[in-house]
Amino acid sequence: MTIKKLGKDIQRRRKELNLEMSDIADYSNISISRLSNIENGKSNPTIKTIEKILDVLGLELVVIAKDKNATR
């Protein structure tokens, strides 16, 4: 998943829940400008920041490790 796709997914979910950026920013303790940059794919947030945002949205972060030595 790219940062841009993640940002769009966060934005879509926020809008589905009828939440403002300020709601997410307040509950996740990040600035509105940082959230805006994340939603627009202009920021490379830490896993901790992503987890905070997803927690407010009722989502979980699932990371799938790709084994480079696995056969295809």
Side-chain angles (χ1 to χ4, degrees):
M1 173 175 283
T2 66
I3 295 301
K4 219 171 219 185
K5 168 101 171 69
L6 174 65
K8 291 300 174 191
D9 289 347
I10 288 171
Q11 184 180 58
R12 185 182 71 251
R13 178 66 175 165
R14 177 177 61 78
K15 289 180 178 184
E16 285 173 359
L17 296 173
N18 294 315
L19 295 173
E20 299 292 326
M21 290 182 101
S22 59
D23 298 322
I24 303 298
D26 288 345
Y27 289 113
S28 62
N29 198 30
I30 63 169
S31 70
I32 293 172
S33 61
R34 177 104 165 108
L35 179 59
S36 176
N37 285 337
I38 292 168
E39 285 190 358
N40 291 304
K42 297 178 181 177
S43 178
N44 192 8
T46 64
I47 296 294
K48 187 71 174 168
T49 298
I50 293 169
E51 287 176 334
K52 287 179 181 180
I53 295 168
L54 296 182
D55 186 51
V56 175
L57 298 173
L59 301 173
E60 291 183 10
L61 178 64
V62 177
V63 179
I64 300 172
K66 183 177 179 181
D67 182 358
K68 293 183 180 183
N69 295 322
T71 57
R72 295 179 190 215

